[in-house]
Amino acid sequence: MKALRAARSLSSSYPPRLLARLYSAQPQQRHDDSDESHHQNNTDSVFDSAQFSIPETPGSAPQVQQPTWDVLHRQRVERLVFNEDFHADKFSQEEEEGRRRILAKALLEAALEGPEEDAENDREVKEEDQKSLSVGIIGAPNAGKSALTNFMVGTKVAAVSRKTNTTTHEVLGVMTRGDTQICFFDTPGLMLNSSGYLHKDMKVRVESAWSSVDLYDALIVIFDVHRHLTRPDSRVIRLIKRMGAEANSKQKRILCMNKVDLVEKKKDLLKVAEQFKDLPGYERVFMISGLKGSGVGDLTKYLMEQAAVKRPWDEDPLTMSEEVMKNISLEVVRERLLDHVHQEIPYGIEHCLVDWKELRDGSLRIEQHFITNKLSQRKILVGKNGSKIGRIGIEANEELRSIFKRDVHLMLQVRLKT
């Protein structure tokens, strides 16, 4: 049905609608020439994607392939797109190839649309009919906040890593369905210390996240239920109980038991739910897997139907602005940094966007710098003969091409702070 609906849309020249808009609250663009003395001629510290061959599709070869779908299905699509029945013998090879491209585009757009209910988004919603909701997502470090944000929005907006404190600033993901728009704020990991007071992180950004807790229409408190069952953390329990201690008439609070896919005995989940059932501050408790999507549909339905309020949308659902794309590029590179550089080193590295250009052919040139405080950190990040920074750059470049649907020329440079 999605393919047929996309075909109808294509035949009427209706522009495809961008359903997910992403925004990162604190752009980190920086222009800093303080490291010129260390730039030297050492090319190992620089990754330039132009020096690497990145194929369009792995293992692909330029050849004409025959359609693999059922003939009856293709005839139906042909009638919708071209208003005629399909007869292979009445077209030249060139004409047939052109028709295949049109049909392939229709099927691709259908695949990118998402669930069937997204058909509602093809209609324009009047301002007086719009509903909005701002949702803050808080929890202990590594509870799965970023994974949940990415899944609900439908594409990557926040770096996801096994390392704690991956998120360094608030990240906003926007989901627009039908007449409802939900803005998700993924925040740095929050924690209470042993005395029950707010843990004062060395970085001001975590304290800033605490100060914004009451600003959202709804608040999702998320925790790793698998870890809670195997290695319970008293600080996490204190966080959950503090946020659920009393009802807030101005804010709906939801408790999410995350990573349920890792729990073998499902009855254990009921025991955890029983443990927190008497907290008056939580309107609902959901069992979810932010990474795989289990239970996220029920959470989304609740937010749209029970929490959203009549209010004009805050964001344009049709546009991915340049600022949005800049911040996505930072998040993607940061995730690869966390994947390949271990221990405490990633947290002591300053990561900034230095240059961003859209070239005449539609491709993007992105330059980002990593600034380290120690020469030893710089050597680790660069790797032998530039192997480490090269691996980070290749993987990030490929993912950015996939997200932006265009060629990306990514440049990464490792510099020593002076």
Side-chain angles (χ1 to χ4, degrees):
M1 289 301 296
K2 287 191 294 185
L4 297 178
R5 187 171 66 251
R8 294 191 186 98
S9 173
L10 185 63
S11 63
S12 61
S13 300
Y14 190 87
R17 184 183 181 94
L18 181 63
L19 299 178
R21 184 179 185 276
L22 312 174
Y23 175 78
S24 184
Q26 297 180 9
Q28 300 177 340
Q29 190 162 359
R30 173 189 174 97
H31 296 276
D32 187 354
D33 297 323
S34 61
D35 191 36
E36 289 183 1
S37 62
H38 295 273
H39 186 48
Q40 305 173 0
N41 294 320
N42 186 355
T43 58
D44 288 350
S45 66
V46 178
F47 166 80
D48 185 342
S49 65
Q51 300 173 358
F52 296 83
S53 176
I54 305 177
E56 290 296 328
T57 305
S60 62
Q63 58 182 348
V64 178
Q65 296 182 346
Q66 296 300 318
T68 57
W69 55 61
D70 183 84
V71 174
L72 293 177
H73 177 66
R74 182 173 186 186
Q75 289 175 352
R76 189 177 178 189
V77 176
E78 289 273 351
R79 285 195 296 270
L80 286 167
V81 177
F82 303 112
N83 296 318
E84 59 186 15
D85 289 329
F86 170 69
H87 297 288
D89 56 351
K90 71 176 184 178
F91 300 110
S92 66
Q93 183 175 351
E94 183 177 346
E95 289 173 332
E96 176 59 19
E97 180 62 25
R99 293 165 71 89
R100 287 198 192 108
R101 291 179 184 274
I102 293 174
L103 292 177
K105 182 179 179 182
L107 293 171
L108 177 60
E109 288 177 354
L112 294 175
E113 278 185 359
E116 289 288 332
E117 61 267 19
D118 286 347
E120 298 179 17
N121 291 282
D122 287 341
R123 63 182 178 86
E124 186 173 341
V125 180
K126 296 180 180 179
E127 187 173 304
E128 57 267 25
D129 297 329
Q130 294 175 358
K131 294 195 298 181
S132 291
L133 185 70
S134 63
V135 180
I137 304 179
I138 71 168
N142 211 30
K145 300 179 296 296
S146 295
L148 176 61
T149 301
N150 290 339
F151 191 92
M152 298 190 84
V153 170
T155 189
K156 179 164 293 182
V157 60
V160 177
S161 171
R162 291 182 180 180
K163 295 182 175 66
T164 61
N165 288 308
T166 303
T167 300
T168 58
H169 55 275
E170 283 191 345
V171 175
L172 167 63
V174 179
M175 181 191 74
T176 305
R177 291 187 186 176
D179 60 0
T180 305
Q181 183 180 89
I182 303 178
C183 299
F184 297 97
F185 290 83
D186 171 25
T187 64
L190 304 181
M191 189 66 76
L192 300 180
N193 59 24
S194 57
S195 63
Y197 292 98
L198 304 185
H199 176 68
K200 290 189 176 181
D201 191 276
M202 292 174 59
K203 300 173 181 177
V204 179
R205 57 179 177 257
V206 174
E207 295 180 353
S208 164
W210 271 108
S211 66
S212 63
V213 161
D214 293 325
L215 300 179
Y216 310 115
D217 299 321
L219 189 70
I220 292 177
V221 179
I222 187 172
F223 71 101
D224 182 344
V225 67
H226 178 257
R227 180 183 176 88
H228 180 76
L229 287 167
T230 55
R231 302 188 307 278
D233 189 333
S234 60
R235 297 172 300 169
V236 174
I237 296 173
R238 279 192 290 271
L239 174 66
I240 294 171
K241 290 186 175 180
R242 171 169 176 157
M243 302 312 300
E246 56 184 32
N248 187 334
S249 59
K250 297 182 179 180
Q251 184 184 74
K252 291 184 181 294
R253 291 184 176 174
I254 302 113
L255 183 63
C256 283
M257 299 162 52
N258 193 29
K259 305 186 184 182
V260 297
D261 54 304
L262 301 179
V263 179
E264 294 183 2
K265 298 179 180 179
K266 302 308 177 185
K267 63 180 181 180
D268 290 341
L269 297 174
L270 299 178
K271 294 179 181 178
V272 177
E274 186 75 14
Q275 181 181 354
F276 300 116
K277 72 170 186 176
D278 294 327
L279 295 174
Y282 295 116
E283 301 263 344
R284 291 281 301 274
V285 177
F286 289 91
M287 301 181 187
I288 66 169
S289 170
L291 188 62
K292 297 187 177 180
S294 175
V296 177
D298 293 333
L299 173 60
T300 302
K301 184 178 179 181
Y302 169 79
L303 294 174
M304 293 181 65
E305 297 180 358
Q306 304 295 323
V309 297
K310 281 278 187 181
R311 188 176 65 208
W313 295 342
D314 296 317
E315 304 292 333
D316 182 355
L318 296 173
T319 308
M320 181 182 285
S321 69
E322 183 177 292
E323 199 63 31
V324 170
M325 298 172 72
K326 286 179 180 179
N327 286 287
I328 291 176
S329 74
L330 285 165
E331 292 294 329
V332 168
V333 174
R334 176 173 168 75
E335 181 174 308
R336 297 307 176 192
L337 168 68
L338 290 162
D339 284 345
H340 293 286
V341 181
H342 307 295
Q343 298 179 345
E344 78 285 351
I345 294 175
Y347 307 107
I349 294 175
E350 183 180 348
H351 176 203
C352 55
L353 177 66
V354 175
D355 190 39
W356 176 284
K357 288 182 182 177
E358 183 168 353
L359 306 181
R360 290 183 179 181
D361 61 0
S363 63
L364 292 171
R365 182 187 182 279
I366 306 171
E367 182 175 352
Q368 298 181 17
H369 287 183
F370 296 113
I371 303 175
T372 65
N373 293 312
K374 301 177 182 178
L375 182 60
S376 58
Q377 292 177 333
R378 182 178 182 273
K379 290 180 178 179
I380 292 173
L381 181 52
V382 171
K384 186 176 181 180
N385 299 324
S387 59
K388 185 83 71 176
I389 191 64
R391 174 55 54 191
I392 292 171
I394 290 173
E395 293 181 6
N397 196 88
E398 188 73 357
E399 185 164 4
L400 289 172
R401 283 159 47 102
S402 175
I403 292 173
F404 295 150
K405 303 294 187 295
R406 62 171 82 182
D407 286 336
V408 174
H409 178 191
L410 177 64
M411 298 183 67
L412 301 177
Q413 183 177 334
V414 184
R415 303 169 61 183
L416 183 64
K417 191 172 185 178
T418 56

